[in-house]
Amino acid sequence: MRLFIALCPAVGLLLVADQAPGATLRVPSEYPTIQSAIHAGIWGDTVLVAPGTYTNCEFGPCVPWAVEMKPGVSVVSEAGPGVTTLRVDTPAGGLAVVRFSGVVGAETVLRGFTIRATAPGYRGIEVRGSSDVVIADCRIVDVASGYSTGSGIYALDSDFIVADCEIVRCTATSAAGLSSDASSVILVRCLFAQNDGGGAGCLAYLGYSLLAEDCVFRDNYGGRALAVSEIPEVEIRGNLFVGNEAGQSVSALSVTSGNVTPVAYAVVTHNIFLGNEATGSIGSTVGWRSPGTFEHNTFWGNFGSRASAVYGLGTEDAPTTIHANIFAGGTGGPAYRASFSEPTVSCNLFWENEGGDYFGHYIPSPTDLFTDPLFCDPATGDLTLQSGSPCLPEHSNGCGQIGALGQGCGTVSVDAWSWGRIKASYREGEDR
């Protein structure tokens, strides 16, 4: 998993540290346009952009992109996305507001911009044939490119990180917020909200890897909030899926292994699924058809016509472990529907699922529980646990922690994935 090994340990440091040593080229005090500063920059330089709105038609004939990145030259705003905007209003033969093409061999950062496009045929950001790319602290808003996928961000054959970004109200047929094809991707502390056509899709066949951590997928509709298909290594942990809607199939998360080499394996852990809704004949909150582990997740108040929580389409060559999840308050179909093969199950808790707790090839384990999880206040979305909860390690009969969150109700959580931490990343409202 080359991207995880090379970049994952550096994500936090990258976002708080200064840029790599090199010259600082200031726009507009030293260079009239961002692109002129980029052209003047060399390996390790930083283009520092003052507050303002920068378009593809500054100072003369319109150019295809508002910003075309260069290997080793980072572009950073002085004051952040609230006061610094990149925008394309007039089409000029480009495909995106910001373009990374063939940007390889150096850590190249875009940080601190709001990105918009009113011109037809323009995505927010396009990443092609690039590596070691970081997109941080950006807001990509109200982009309707006209393409079938990836109006916010589109990536092909690249390794990249998207960190602390918001992708909001983008429109496409599917994967409206982000579409990645044949790429390795890290998504960390991002918000995907109100995107028409779903939030993010790593649908690329024979892609390399995906890590989605501490992200919020909220109120996306018309498609899956996060869709993953035929990627060999997948880890989805600590995310919040809330209020997503789909007229068909899956509302929140779908993971499909497909026929890839090496054999795909997915780990989905410590996520919260709250108030998602999927109608249609095979609607579910999570669609699962992959070998891997699905553990320590919490479901509450989801609707799925086929399965309120998980629709597992297993096969003998795709063994699945379902461990220490809470499936509660579901409506529509049974909480867990297992088709074609039997998953390995242990320590799961079921409670008040209108359509039943399980169906098909799900065979309960002696360690499964059928009792009230004792959430603190599920009516307000607080799914931390009361002190006497059977999901806490001291009460779970050897199962350890069950579900995504630990003890709450005004006390300090004993679990690293506390509701307070989730709320901090959720940040109510459009601007978080």
Side-chain angles (χ1 to χ4, degrees):
M1 193 182 290
R2 55 178 176 165
L3 179 69
F4 288 9
I5 294 171
L7 296 182
C8 221
V11 173
L13 293 174
L14 169 71
L15 302 182
V16 299
D18 294 333
Q19 294 301 120
T24 299
L25 292 70
R26 297 180 181 275
V27 177
S29 61
E30 298 176 348
Y31 295 86
T33 67
I34 297 173
Q35 205 61 54
S36 64
I38 291 173
H39 289 325
I42 61 173
W43 206 277
D45 287 353
T46 297
V47 174
L48 190 62
V49 181
T53 297
Y54 301 84
T55 75
N56 65 322
C57 297
E58 302 282 334
F59 300 103
C62 297
V63 295
W65 329 89
V67 172
E68 185 170 18
M69 300 293 289
K70 180 179 180 180
V73 178
S74 294
V75 178
V76 178
S77 73
E78 286 184 353
V83 293
T84 318
T85 298
L86 306 175
R87 194 178 70 215
V88 168
D89 299 319
T90 304
L95 301 175
V97 179
V98 179
R99 182 194 193 202
F100 294 81
S101 180
V103 177
V104 298
E107 193 173 87
T108 304
V109 180
L110 176 77
R111 181 168 64 196
F113 297 91
T114 289
I115 296 170
R116 297 178 181 269
T118 62
Y122 273 78
R123 293 175 161 119
I125 298 175
E126 182 181 73
V127 185
R128 288 180 179 264
S130 298
S131 63
D132 296 341
V133 164
V134 179
I135 301 163
D137 190 27
C138 288
R139 298 189 74 242
I140 305 171
V141 185
D142 296 320
V143 180
S145 66
Y147 295 104
S148 59
T149 61
S151 284
I153 299 175
Y154 176 78
L156 176 65
D157 193 24
S158 297
D159 294 350
F160 65 104
I161 294 174
V162 184
D164 297 297
C165 289
E166 302 175 10
I167 303 178
V168 180
R169 296 191 305 273
C170 294
T171 302
T173 304
S174 64
L178 179 148
S179 178
S180 167
D181 195 345
S183 298
S184 290
V185 188
I186 292 176
L187 305 176
V188 59
R189 298 183 303 272
C190 290
L191 170 69
F192 293 84
Q194 302 174 0
N195 295 295
D196 183 355
C202 297
L203 304 173
Y205 303 107
L206 302 180
Y208 301 119
S209 59
L210 167 69
L211 169 65
E213 181 176 15
D214 287 350
C215 294
V216 175
F217 298 85
R218 171 168 60 83
D219 298 333
N220 300 286
Y221 53 95
R224 296 157 289 189
L226 176 59
V228 184
S229 180
E230 302 203 22
I231 293 179
E233 297 186 62
V234 175
E235 188 166 359
I236 299 168
R237 65 178 186 233
N239 303 286
L240 173 63
F241 296 84
V242 57
N244 300 288
E245 299 181 10
Q248 293 288 333
S249 189
V250 175
S251 60
L253 170 66
S254 68
V255 181
T256 305
S257 62
N259 300 313
V260 297
T261 302
V263 175
Y265 192 88
V267 175
V268 178
T269 183
H270 288 91
N271 302 282
I272 296 172
F273 299 87
L274 173 64
N276 301 286
E277 181 176 340
T279 57
S281 60
I282 56 173
S284 62
T285 300
V286 173
W288 179 272
R289 191 168 189 171
S290 176
T293 302
F294 193 91
E295 61 183 4
H296 298 293
N297 301 287
T298 295
F299 290 80
W300 173 256
N302 300 284
F303 172 85
S305 57
R306 190 72 168 171
S308 64
V310 178
Y311 185 18
L313 294 162
T315 62
E316 290 185 0
D317 59 351
T320 299
T321 298
I322 310 298
H323 173 70
N325 303 283
I326 298 174
F327 302 110
T331 58
Y336 196 104
R337 179 183 290 265
S339 296
F340 305 124
S341 70
E342 180 182 339
T344 299
V345 306
S346 59
C347 296
N348 298 294
L349 183 144
F350 296 88
W351 179 248
E352 288 192 340
N353 294 295
E354 179 186 78
D357 293 327
Y358 54 87
F359 182 85
H361 292 268
Y362 188 102
I363 307 300
S365 162
T367 59
D368 281 353
L369 303 174
F370 300 86
T371 187
D372 189 342
L374 297 179
F375 293 132
C376 285
D377 192 357
T380 63
D382 184 351
L383 303 182
T384 54
L385 305 171
Q386 299 177 34
S387 60
S389 170
C391 301
L392 293 174
E394 58 267 34
H395 305 306
S396 65
N397 295 324
C399 284
Q401 178 71 42
I402 300 175
L405 303 176
Q407 184 177 328
C409 307
T411 64
V412 177
S413 173
V414 298
D415 188 271
W417 305 93
S418 69
W419 180 250
R421 180 180 178 188
I422 295 294
K423 286 199 298 185
S425 67
Y426 186 2
R427 303 178 200 169
E428 295 284 352
E430 174 190 326
D431 295 322
R432 290 208 295 174

